[in-house]
Amino acid sequence: MLDEILPEAFAVVRTPAGGFGAARSRCGPSAEVEMIPFDVQLIGGWALHQGRIAEMATGEGKTLVATMPVYLNALAGGAFTS
């Protein structure tokens, strides 16, 4: 069931991620923040959903990647499994 709704669930997470607009910074004034996942981040989310490891370097968006499969699996109301 989860594999069938994966595209829609990822889209639900992807859409609000890009709408944060101006964000507060500890180091200075507000800055525009674009958090729209790149294709490689969508693939990383799919890999995590499949129970695989997605190796990414520092700054490549691991936190954003993890939000998509976490949301998808939360829809089932269970543990983080596919």
Side-chain angles (χ1 to χ4, degrees):
M1 175 196 161
L2 290 181
D3 289 336
E4 295 172 7
I5 63 169
L6 185 141
E8 289 85 1
F10 278 28
V12 167
V13 174
R14 182 183 186 274
T15 301
F20 284 115
R24 292 185 182 192
S25 171
R26 293 183 191 166
C27 300
S30 296
E32 287 293 318
V33 177
E34 288 275 337
M35 293 186 63
I36 299 171
F38 291 102
D39 291 343
V40 69
Q41 292 169 321
L42 295 170
I43 293 167
W46 174 77
L48 288 176
H49 170 66
Q50 295 296 319
R52 297 190 171 110
I53 295 173
E55 183 178 351
M56 299 175 78
T58 300
E60 288 188 331
K62 291 179 286 292
T63 303
L64 185 57
V65 166
T67 60
M68 294 175 278
V70 166
Y71 174 74
L72 174 64
N73 286 280
L75 293 174
F80 193 130
T81 60
S82 55

